[in-house]
Amino acid sequence: MNDPAIQATRDLLIDALSSAPDADTSTPDLRTMFTPSSHRLALDPDVTVVRGARGTGKTYWAKALTDPELREVASASYMMPRLGRIEVITGFAQGGGDDPVFPGKRALAALVAQGVDAKDLWSAVVLMALKVPDVLALESWSERIEWVGQNGEKYEAALRRADRETRERGKTLVLLFDTLDHLHNDRGQLDRLLSGLFEVALELRLTTGTLRAKIFVRPDLYESAPKAFADASKLGANATDLSWSRENLYGLLFHQLGNHTSEQATAFRKATGQWRPEGEGRFIAPVDVIADQKRQEEVFVTLAGPFMGTDRRKGHTYTWVPNHLQDGLGRVSPRTWLHALLRSAQLTGERYAGHSLPLHYDAIRESLSSASKNRVEELTDDIGWAALAVELLEGSQVPMEPSAVRFAWESNRLSARIAELLEDVKQGSGPRNAESPSAILQELLDLGVMTERSNKAIDLPDIYRLNFDIRRKGGVARKPVI
């Protein structure tokens, strides 16, 4: 017989996590926006570069910063009043909005083919964002970029004028740059474009008081872009990383449950402490629920029990779940995290409806295959060549000798297939060196898609392995995703 209270909590998990924010497909909203302490610097107007892997929140924060209401929430949450005094213009993103100040992907590809100077390109984007009349009057991007190259003094004068006017209004103007992996399919050209953007952004930071660029970029792209311009070392000093600790992940989960609109969300808040109302249906959890491991484990045990089986030999649920969702660099995508717990609740309702807790440990274990499919889809969208490289190892067993990995790729024409893949304009950039299996392997290790054991054997984290027919002796069994 089903316990109505247990079923209600299970329903809360399903309903709240099904509607959890996903910046790729929806706009962040006031009620569910979570502000982990580790992301504070990412919103600071003076921080130029925000590095983050796919799913860590780059696009989420980029979109949130464009919304005045959400900026006010972040300003209060992070005790950063300056956020309430910024103006935001999108300098590059997919889609571009109704009146983009930057060239579209096809126009950009044509400009690159013409050998456009990357620094002049981004300088022209800055002038378009500032609505400089001389540049607005020009009809093509080629003309605008040429104007910048020929009018260095006028460019600097335009920046000084905009800086003065912005200061007089008591504002800071922030130009946002996101989804930069879609600038160009060729990695060399992408690196060159990013290098120009970094140089222009740093100049804004060093020469003006109120004009700022904020660049959301993957860590590997940041590292590979050349930084041979003046004061390049200062760029790293104005950078931060979007990371998610275990406490952040559980804080996100509990925030979503406590901020759902159902009666069960009210019951969850009452059961977990004194939540602070902030108006319009938004509640803030007690500090220990967001940040204290011991308290978080106590709350999670009420949902999933203490162990991944009948006793501790199978592992503790609180640590087991994030440990099996992390990549080779120890990172867990919050999107994948919420998806795994959502699927766990669904599977519990379908197969273990009479269980004494909202989540059954076997359902949690089975959810990993679904979470892996979700994560590989993200990898395919962002770094399609990496997903292809793993796919060509299907039928094998890890750990594998590096020579066996390289042989599998050479036998399956990986380099040629990467070239074919990148002919699709929807794909992101390619690897640093598509012709070298050794270089591809090293890049996959750098990305956390693969790991290297102490004996140099190559392994795959479960979050990628389970989506493919790749076995590991003693590892979590692969389940078909329904």
Side-chain angles (χ1 to χ4, degrees):
M1 180 177 177
N2 292 347
D3 183 329
I6 297 300
Q7 183 60 51
T9 303
R10 192 175 297 144
D11 289 342
L12 172 63
L13 281 159
I14 294 171
D15 294 340
L17 301 187
S18 294
S19 58
D22 180 351
D24 287 345
T25 57
S26 61
T27 301
D29 67 74
L30 173 69
R31 185 173 46 79
T32 59
M33 187 172 79
F34 179 60
T35 53
S37 58
S38 59
H39 290 195
R40 186 179 190 276
L41 282 177
L43 303 190
D44 187 330
D46 285 334
V47 171
T48 303
V49 175
V50 181
R51 297 173 294 230
R54 173 66 183 265
T56 55
K58 298 190 303 297
T59 297
Y60 185 90
W61 285 124
K63 287 187 175 182
L65 281 171
T66 63
D67 186 310
E69 185 179 34
L70 297 182
R71 288 202 304 269
E72 287 294 336
V73 172
S75 175
S77 296
Y78 289 125
M79 292 182 287
M80 192 186 295
R82 189 179 176 193
L83 273 182
R85 301 190 297 272
I86 68 172
E87 297 173 349
V88 179
I89 298 175
T90 299
F92 186 83
Q94 279 194 293
D98 297 330
D99 189 23
V101 301
F102 53 89
K105 187 166 184 179
R106 291 182 182 277
L108 186 56
L111 291 168
V112 169
Q114 295 166 15
V116 67
D117 182 273
K119 184 179 179 182
D120 288 348
L121 163 67
W122 295 114
S123 298
V125 168
V126 170
L127 295 184
M128 287 290 287
L130 297 177
K131 300 185 184 303
V132 175
D134 287 349
V135 176
L136 283 174
L138 300 174
E139 295 184 358
S140 72
W141 277 100
S142 295
E143 292 174 296
R144 294 164 188 156
I145 295 165
E146 183 180 2
W147 187 95
V148 170
Q150 296 177 352
N151 294 277
E153 290 186 8
K154 289 184 178 181
Y155 172 77
E156 293 172 352
L159 293 188
R160 289 194 298 270
R161 183 168 55 253
D163 188 25
R164 182 178 63 253
E165 292 172 353
T166 306
R167 184 183 299 106
E168 289 171 353
R169 296 199 308 273
K171 300 286 187 178
T172 297
L173 180 63
V174 177
L175 275 66
L176 287 181
F177 299 86
D178 187 33
T179 61
L180 294 168
D181 47 314
H182 291 280
L183 280 173
H184 203 279
N185 287 14
D186 181 84
R187 183 59 173 268
Q189 296 289 6
L190 175 58
D191 284 348
R192 189 170 67 84
L193 289 170
L194 286 177
S195 180
L197 175 58
F198 291 152
E199 185 173 3
V200 170
L202 183 60
E203 284 185 357
L204 287 179
R205 176 73 176 85
L206 297 178
T207 63
T208 73
T210 64
L211 308 181
R212 296 289 182 264
K214 186 169 289 295
I215 302 169
F216 293 90
V217 64
R218 286 196 339 239
D220 59 303
L221 298 183
Y222 173 79
E223 292 298 331
S224 67
K227 301 174 187 66
F229 45 85
D231 296 315
S233 62
K234 295 180 180 178
L235 189 69
N238 290 298
T240 190
D241 296 285
L242 285 175
S243 60
W244 287 82
S245 66
R246 184 184 298 161
E247 294 90 337
N248 291 159
L249 293 169
Y250 278 102
L252 172 65
L253 167 64
F254 299 146
H255 181 85
Q256 300 307 313
L257 299 182
N259 277 277
H260 195 250
T261 55
S262 64
E263 292 182 5
Q264 187 54 38
T266 304
F268 178 79
R269 292 195 299 270
K270 288 180 179 178
T272 52
Q274 190 67 39
W275 289 58
R276 186 178 76 249
E278 289 203 333
E280 299 188 49
R282 179 177 172 82
F283 294 87
I284 301 299
V287 173
D288 60 351
V289 172
I290 292 177
D292 183 79
Q293 287 191 21
K294 182 178 179 181
R295 177 59 179 143
Q296 288 183 331
E297 184 168 10
E298 291 172 352
V299 175
F300 193 61
V301 164
T302 67
L303 301 176
F307 309 124
M308 287 298 297
T310 56
D311 56 44
R312 68 180 68 246
R313 289 177 298 176
K314 294 292 186 179
H316 293 260
T317 53
Y318 178 74
T319 54
W320 193 95
V321 183
N323 285 350
H324 282 78
L325 292 174
Q326 65 187 13
D327 68 5
L329 300 177
R331 303 173 303 197
V332 179
S333 158
R335 186 182 306 159
T336 304
W337 163 252
L338 296 181
H339 176 88
L341 293 167
L342 166 63
R343 188 62 185 141
S344 299
Q346 293 171 333
L347 287 170
T348 301
E350 294 168 5
R351 302 179 188 178
Y352 314 98
H355 188 54
S356 60
L357 292 167
L359 300 177
H360 192 284
Y361 48 80
D362 279 338
I364 294 174
R365 187 174 284 105
E366 291 178 37
S367 76
L368 290 186
S369 293
S370 180
S372 177
K373 180 176 184 294
N374 178 269
R375 187 61 177 155
V376 168
E377 287 174 352
E378 293 180 348
L379 183 70
T380 302
D381 288 343
D382 250 13
I383 319 175
W385 67 266
L388 173 61
V390 177
E391 182 182 354
L392 295 183
L393 301 178
E394 284 195 320
S396 60
Q397 177 174 304
V398 291
M400 298 175 65
E401 289 299 317
S403 58
V405 175
R406 293 192 294 267
F407 178 78
W409 287 341
E410 290 169 346
S411 300
N412 287 286
R413 303 173 51 255
L414 175 59
S415 296
R417 294 176 70 168
I418 288 175
E420 294 169 2
L421 181 74
L422 295 177
E423 291 177 0
D424 183 351
V425 296
K426 295 180 181 179
Q427 289 294 328
S429 63
R432 294 189 290 261
N433 184 355
E435 299 301 319
S436 168
S438 294
I440 290 173
L441 176 57
Q442 184 58 54
E443 189 163 356
L444 290 173
L445 291 171
D446 294 341
L447 288 167
V449 175
M450 291 181 166
T451 60
E452 184 179 67
R453 295 195 171 192
S454 58
N455 63 358
K456 304 301 182 181
I458 302 302
D459 206 344
L460 281 168
D462 283 343
I463 195 58
Y464 294 121
R465 179 183 67 83
L466 290 172
N467 188 67
F468 300 99
D469 182 19
I470 300 174
R471 303 175 303 281
R472 181 193 294 118
K473 187 176 181 180
V476 175
R478 178 174 181 260
K479 300 287 185 179
V481 179
I482 301 174

